[in-house]
Every structure is written in C-alpha cells, then in structure tokens.
Amino acid sequence: MSTQRPLADAYGRVATDLRVSLTDRCNLRCSYCMPAEGLDWLPHAEVLTDEEVVRLITIGVRRLGIREVRFTGGEPLIRRGLVDIVRRTRELGEDLELSVTTNGLGLERMATALAQAGLDRVNISLDTLDPARFKTITRRDRIDDVLRGAKAAHEAGLTPVKVNAVLLRGVNDDEAGDLLAWAVAHEYELRFIEQMPLDAQHDWHRDRMVTAEEIFEWLGRDFTLTPAREPRGSAPAELFLVDGGPATVGVIASVTRPFCGDCDRVRLTADGQVRNCLFAREESDLRGALRAGASDDELADRWLAAMATKLPGHGINDPSFLQPDRPMSAIGG
Ligand code: SAM
Ligand code: SF4
C-alpha cells in the first residue's frame, strides 16, 4: 500500500469526503437548478469513463485519505455504470462510507442492486409533498416515483434515508412543518438546504431566499427542536432532535451560517476536474493528465496541488462575490 498524503489546504483543513459527479444530465428541471430547456450537456467524450472514475476514486482512497464517497450529478441514477462503480468503490474498503444523492426517479428499481453493490445510504431530494407543486418546481409530474423510490431505499436498508428539501419563497415555504411530520412518520431524516447562488440561470436573490432563521421559526410552531450534537464538526447540517428524538432534522445554512472553516469536502466533476469548493472559480484538470498517460503518483500530485489553493471561504456574503461559471448540476451538488 502506498503512503497516504492527506488532501490538506493552507488553512489546516483536510478533505476526506469526495463528491463524485457521474453526469451533468438530469431527468428533472428543478427551477432553482436549471432552466426548463436543460443545459448544454457535456459531450460524451469529455465525460470520464467508468474505468477512469474508478481509477481516480482509487487514487483518492489509497493515496489521499478519502474516507467517504458520495455519488451525485446531475442525476447519478441515469449513469448506466452506477451500480458497477459503487461495487468497485466498495472493494476499496469496507470502512468507506458510500452514498448517492439522487432525485429518486428510478430508485425503486435500483435500490436493491445498489444496496447489494455496497452502497450505505441515499440522500433523496424532495421539496414538496404536493403533486402540483412538485410539477411546478421540477417541471415534471413525477412525485409518485420519488415517493416510491424513497420507500424502496428504506426497505433495501439504504438507511438512514435522508431527504433534502429547498424551500422557495411563495412556492413551498409553507411546507416546512408538513415535510418534517412526513419525514418523521417514514423514518427519513429531513435536511433543509438554503438556496444557493448556483443555478444556471443566475436567478438567485439574497432578499428572496428562505433563511435558516425562518425555517427554525416555522418548525418551532409545531415541534420542539433541541441541538442533537455539539460541536457540529465538519457536518454541514446543524442537527436537532425533534420533540426529544430519536427523529432528527437538519438545516444546511450555507449562505447565512457558512461552515467553510470546517469543510472536509473535495469534488470531482463528471469531466474529470477537481474542484476544491462548490464555489471555486478554478478547477484542476485530472482527465487531461490521465488521458495523456500520467501515473497514479502524478495524478495524486495534481490533486494535492489543487487542494493547496482552496480559499478560506466561499465569499457568498462578500460584495465582490462572483457565482462560479458552472452551475450546481455540472459541478455535482
Ligand atoms: N439530481 C440529484 C438531486 O437532485 O438530488 C443530485 C444533484 S443535485 C444538484 C444535489 C442537491 O443540490 C439537491 O438536493 C438539490 O436540491 C440541491 N440544489 C440544486 N440547486 C441548488 C441551489 N441553487 N441551492 C441549494 N441547493 C441546490
Ligand atoms: Fe436535476 Fe438535482 Fe438539479 Fe433537480 S436539483 S434539476 S434533480 S440535478
């Protein structure tokens, strides 16, 4: 086994959590993520092959101290090789934490295969329980598929099933309590995510976004929330026990309560670029080097160099903030 070199940055943070985007394509069109017509998808030839993805993950795990791998996108369930990629990643170690972030479409069909391949759990995105609102937000009439997908994941043991919800002003901002009651009843762990300036349309407005503060206030009307863990550590969600537990709810307040100082994440895009932050304006090309014949050592060196330039914070709250060129769906959320 080669020597481990941690993915450290200049501020003392070490990345151990790798988010791997398997495609920038998606079968939904969430309004806060991409326009109705979709985006200019990456040309097929630019997307890493299954072989290339697994090679880079192996370098991350064997040489660079990665302990957690989260597959995302775009929609990772539409990546044909997903189950095989999960299986080969699991072979790198029983103690690796493996999860998928998905919109849940098709999960009913795939949950058992994913669990058998060694996946630990899933995060499913669902912003509303109302079919008409779901259609408005995602521009597709598919809420039943998502609900069936969540159930199948739970039954397949991909637990705890986490549910990510983004509240949008005037659209679903009256649903915080209903979503939590539903999640608690189904033994899903709900996480609210503050809307971030990562949409392809550049439509995000600070004065329109729903804040963590508001979410706490709304939830407080129906539930008693008490902190579930102190300190929060590198976990992005502030976690609370619901009515004394054991159910919990999390709020990921990337905008109003940034947690950059404790960040332990690094991202690999579907086209093989390392990003040291969701909001980074620079990427480091591993695909080019890999296809030019770089050795594992050389690829690890490039990856380490990419981490060294990680900025102390995302800067969303600075007047000079510039949204990254690529939207969330292309970076891997
Ligand atoms: N398609 C999968 C899904 O929806 O779960 C994975 C990719 S998606 C980009 C990952 C997560 O990012 C989802 O939970 C989604 O709600 C969230 N997301 C997308 N755009 C966002 C934005 N502008 N602000 C906050 N969260 C966003
Ligand atoms: Fe697709 Fe996920 Fe973006 Fe929705 S949030 S459009 S499901 S990538």
Side-chain angles (χ1 to χ4, degrees), residues 26-30 32-34 73-75 103 125 329:
C26 192
N27 40 15
L28 293 184
R29 295 286 183 273
C30 303
Y32 51 80
C33 185
M34 58 173 81
E75 178 43 49
N103 61 28
S125 303
S329 56

Side-chain angles (χ1 to χ4, degrees), residues 158-283:
L158 295 171
T159 51
V161 170
K162 296 188 184 175
V163 174
N164 294 347
V166 178
L167 294 181
L168 306 168
R169 178 113 27 231
V171 180
N172 61 343
D173 53 354
D174 55 353
E175 275 193 76
D178 290 348
L179 279 163
L180 182 53
W182 168 82
V184 170
H186 290 81
E187 296 179 10
Y188 305 151
E189 285 188 12
L190 184 63
R191 303 270 187 277
F192 291 100
I193 308 178
E194 279 184 346
Q195 190 185 358
M196 295 180 274
L198 282 171
D199 56 315
Q201 315 86 294
H202 291 225
D203 240 359
W204 180 88
H205 290 285
R206 175 180 304 279
D207 46 355
R208 273 217 316 264
M209 66 164 277
V210 171
T211 64
E213 204 57 46
E214 292 175 287
I215 296 171
F216 290 132
E217 191 199 317
W218 296 331
L219 293 177
R221 293 177 191 165
D222 299 329
F223 304 92
T224 305
L225 304 186
T226 46
R229 63 176 170 218
E230 295 285 356
R232 167 167 111 183
S234 62
E238 290 183 61
L239 204 62
F240 298 87
L241 294 175
V242 180
D243 294 336
T248 58
V249 62
V251 179
I252 303 180
S254 315
V255 179
T256 63
R257 304 178 187 201
F259 36 86
C260 304
D262 292 314
C263 180
D264 64 355
R265 274 163 284 280
V266 58
R267 291 162 199 279
L268 180 65
T269 64
D271 57 345
Q273 313 294 305
V274 166
R275 295 181 65 99
N276 57 29
C277 172
L278 249 184
F279 293 91
R281 298 192 50 78
E282 282 174 17
E283 303 180 335

